[in-house]
Amino acid sequence: MQNKIALVLGATGGIGGEVARRLNKRGWRVRALHRKPERFDGRGDFAWLRGDAMVAGDVLAAAEGTSLIVHAVNPPGYRNWGELVLPMFDNTLAAARGVGARVLLPGNVYNYGPDAFPLVNENSPQHPLTRKGKIRVEMEERLRTAVAAGDVKGLIVGAGDFFGPQAANNWFSQGLVKPGRPVRAISYPGRPGVGHQWAYLPDVAETMVRLAEHDGLDDFAQFHMGGHWDHDGRQMVDAIRRVVSAPNMRVSRFPWLAVTLASPFVPLFRELSEMKYLWQVPVRLQNARLLSVLGAEPHTPLDVAVRTTLVGLGCIGVGEVDASSTHRQNVLA
């Protein structure tokens, strides 16, 4: 890699913020594009630049001199995906083409349909059931096409459902617990006994940065993370119970019926309802290719990850973290 300058689109979001912070810790100069950068002066050791991901010239100007563009920007509140997501990504591709940067694109399981389940690798067929999934497939296809034409380089890292201390829009914080409140009950979206895959955002960010820095990556490189595999849907629930010292805490079923009925009127509920199928059957990304390149996957112990997440979400106070957490083993240290 010619230099260690990166542009992060979506640095105020969960995955974009974690990647930006991890890049910074590993010695990268990080630029973050935002329409109102003055709101973030002093947040992170980043260069906040004024601009809009929907404006090609803004993205190109911000990318000048970079070797990596992290495309982690999404429309807020799941609104206007069809109108905004692909134009924003095309601007990223154009900027990467103009400056010779690699595009890092966070991936997920939305690309896949039942014909790829239960074990999914990087070559599995991508026949999604949802509008959002179809858009994700198109994004990846546009990246592949650009790489095949010799225009850019690409890196896609897929993972399970995100959770982490600074991640707001995800199933953990929007389904299992309520941010800003003590955990009194847990709402679980999955069927009893059905496995589910989780990805702790600091681990995801570390994995992405290690791959981006790795010598010898193909021009188009795609990897899946193993993350935390909850084989029966109880491991995450039990970890929350342990962390808050409530082993008998009540677990209720996620209100799928109410969400479905309200989906015509609430964009978020419409998107959540479309993803229901991913909670009804086990879907597990395989990380053999990742292990062959990195040797090991960054992996924070589940209880440590859950505790840190709950503190970050304001569900438990920092003072409630027991002394043992200061002696934890964390592979990211």
Side-chain angles (χ1 to χ4, degrees):
M1 191 166 289
Q2 294 180 344
N3 61 55
K4 297 183 74 171
I5 306 174
L7 170 63
V8 179
L9 304 177
T12 60
I15 183 61
E18 287 290 354
V19 173
R21 287 186 288 275
R22 186 58 53 179
L23 285 166
N24 185 259
K25 288 180 181 179
R26 293 177 70 93
W28 287 69
R29 292 165 55 193
V30 178
R31 301 173 185 168
L33 190 69
H34 197 275
R35 286 175 295 177
K36 297 180 179 179
E38 64 276 4
R39 293 168 51 187
F40 305 100
D41 287 342
R43 180 190 290 190
D45 193 13
F46 313 148
W48 290 93
L49 307 178
R50 185 178 304 279
D52 191 330
M54 285 293 291
V55 179
D58 290 353
V59 181
L60 178 59
E64 193 65 43
T66 65
S67 61
L68 182 69
I69 302 177
V70 181
H71 187 91
V73 60
N74 290 309
Y78 293 97
R79 296 179 183 276
N80 301 321
W81 264 74
E83 295 78 24
L84 299 178
V85 171
L86 292 175
M88 285 193 294
F89 191 59
D90 285 342
N91 291 342
T92 291
L93 290 177
R97 184 181 301 114
V99 304
R102 183 183 288 272
V103 175
L104 168 55
L105 178 65
N108 52 44
V109 298
Y110 299 160
N111 303 47
Y112 303 101
D115 59 333
F117 301 161
L119 301 178
V120 182
N121 62 43
E122 293 85 354
N123 297 319
S124 294
Q126 296 192 3
H127 300 137
L129 300 183
T130 68
R131 289 168 293 179
K132 187 176 179 181
K134 291 175 182 177
I135 291 173
R136 292 289 313 185
V137 170
E138 178 63 23
M139 292 173 70
E140 293 191 10
E141 184 56 34
R142 291 187 186 190
L143 181 56
R144 287 190 186 89
T145 300
V147 172
D151 292 336
V152 301
K153 295 181 180 180
L155 170 61
I156 301 174
V157 182
D161 274 325
F162 293 155
F163 71 106
Q166 300 189 53
N169 296 320
N170 56 72
W171 278 104
F172 188 99
S173 64
Q174 293 180 317
L176 274 69
V177 303
K178 297 182 184 300
R181 304 182 187 177
V183 184
R184 305 300 186 195
I186 301 169
S187 174
Y188 190 72
R191 286 181 175 176
V194 172
H196 195 76
Q197 193 166 31
W198 297 91
Y200 183 53
L201 274 180
D203 292 344
V204 176
E206 177 69 10
T207 300
M208 288 178 170
V209 176
R210 289 187 190 181
L211 287 170
E213 294 179 337
H214 194 278
D215 292 332
L217 278 189
D218 293 338
D219 287 351
F220 180 82
Q222 184 171 14
F223 301 90
H224 286 168
M225 290 185 63
H228 289 276
W229 174 243
D230 184 343
H231 67 275
D232 61 359
R234 293 181 56 87
Q235 307 311 303
M236 181 62 80
V237 167
D238 288 343
I240 295 172
R241 285 168 162 169
R242 287 192 298 270
V243 167
V244 300
S245 301
N248 298 315
M249 177 175 291
R250 179 173 60 89
V251 179
S252 61
R253 297 293 299 275
F254 185 79
W256 282 114
L257 179 58
V259 168
T260 301
L261 292 175
S263 62
F265 314 103
V266 183
L268 173 61
F269 286 2
R270 182 176 63 245
E271 298 294 337
L272 295 180
S273 182
E274 284 192 344
M275 298 303 167
K276 181 179 179 180
Y277 78 102
L278 294 170
W279 289 94
Q280 296 177 316
V281 295
V283 184
R284 187 174 189 181
L285 300 178
Q286 303 291 282
N287 68 343
R289 180 181 294 178
L290 175 67
L291 297 180
S292 71
V293 172
L294 294 185
E297 179 180 307
H299 188 80
T300 301
L302 183 59
D303 283 19
V304 174
V306 168
R307 183 184 301 277
T308 306
T309 298
L310 291 176
V311 170
L313 294 177
C315 295
I316 58 177
V318 176
E320 298 176 59
V321 179
D322 59 37
S324 64
S325 66
T326 63
H327 304 289
R328 65 183 180 266
Q329 292 182 340
N330 189 329
V331 296
L332 300 186

